Amino acid sequence: MPRPKPHDLSSRELLARIGLNDDAPTDLIQDQPLDDLLGELEGDLSTVLRERYALINQAHAFKPGDLVGWKPGLRNRRLPSYATPAVVLEVLSEPVRDSDPESGSTYFRERLDLVIGLIWDRDPGRGEFLSFHVDSARFQPWTEDA
C-alpha cells in the first residue's frame, strides 16, 4: 500500500503520525503539586534538586556504536522511553542549539551534541530506524537494569 503524500494527510492525522494526540499528551509539566511528587521521589526538594544537578553534570565519553539510555529523572523527550536503549550514531564536535523560539520551552536553546538512533515503536512506521539530536548530559551508558 503506497504511503500517503504529506498533503494527503489531515492535520489530525499528521499529529497522530508523529505521536502528538489526545492519547499521548506532550506536557512535561506535572499538574500535581510538587509535595505529592516528592513522595514518589523519596526525598525533599532540595535533596532531589542536588541529586539531579550532580547527575546532569556527570559527563560520559560516548562514541558511535555505544548503547545509551536516559539518566534517572533527566528525560525531557518522549523517546526513547526509560526502558529502551538507543545507539550513538555521532558525537558532534560543535553542538547545535535547539531553535525553539519560545524561551519558556524546555527545549529553548538546548545544547544538542549527540545523535542517537532508535527503533520507532508506533504506527505508522513501526520498526523503522530513526535518528534524533539530544543533549548528551541527559544520557548514560545503557545497562539492562537501567
Side-chain angles (χ1 to χ4, degrees):
M1 174 187 222
R3 287 187 170 180
K5 295 177 185 164
H7 62 274
D8 292 341
L9 294 174
S10 72
S11 57
R12 185 175 300 278
E13 291 169 325
L14 180 61
L15 289 173
R17 185 174 184 172
I18 62 174
L20 299 175
N21 56 36
D22 292 334
D23 296 331
T26 59
D27 291 338
L28 291 175
I29 300 173
Q30 298 285 335
D31 288 334
Q32 64 193 48
L34 264 181
D35 293 339
D36 296 343
L37 182 59
L38 286 174
E40 296 172 25
L41 296 175
E42 298 179 7
D44 64 83
L45 184 55
S46 61
T47 301
V48 172
L49 285 169
R50 286 187 180 107
E51 288 170 355
R52 301 285 165 87
Y53 175 77
L55 273 176
I56 206 162
N57 283 299
Q58 180 183 11
H60 295 283
F62 298 120
K63 64 185 183 316
D66 286 348
L67 291 180
V68 296
W70 294 106
K71 291 177 181 176
L74 294 179
R75 181 175 155 206
N76 70 339
R77 297 179 186 268
R78 292 187 10 221
L79 294 173
S81 70
Y82 274 117
T84 305
V87 63
V88 174
L89 301 176
E90 185 178 0
V91 178
L92 302 177
S93 57
E94 284 294 319
V96 295
R97 296 283 177 177
D98 193 297
S99 60
D100 190 319
E102 177 57 46
S103 64
S105 166
T106 60
Y107 306 123
F108 179 70
R109 296 192 37 77
E110 182 179 24
R111 182 180 176 273
L112 307 172
D113 62 341
L114 196 62
V115 182
I116 60 171
L118 54 91
I119 303 298
W120 188 253
D121 66 351
R122 298 184 179 109
D123 284 323
R126 186 175 174 86
E128 298 292 330
F129 183 76
L130 301 177
S131 62
F132 295 91
H133 285 70
V134 296
D135 178 359
S136 66
R138 295 179 174 278
F139 285 83
Q140 64 187 1
W142 173 258
T143 60
E144 289 297 322
D145 39 292

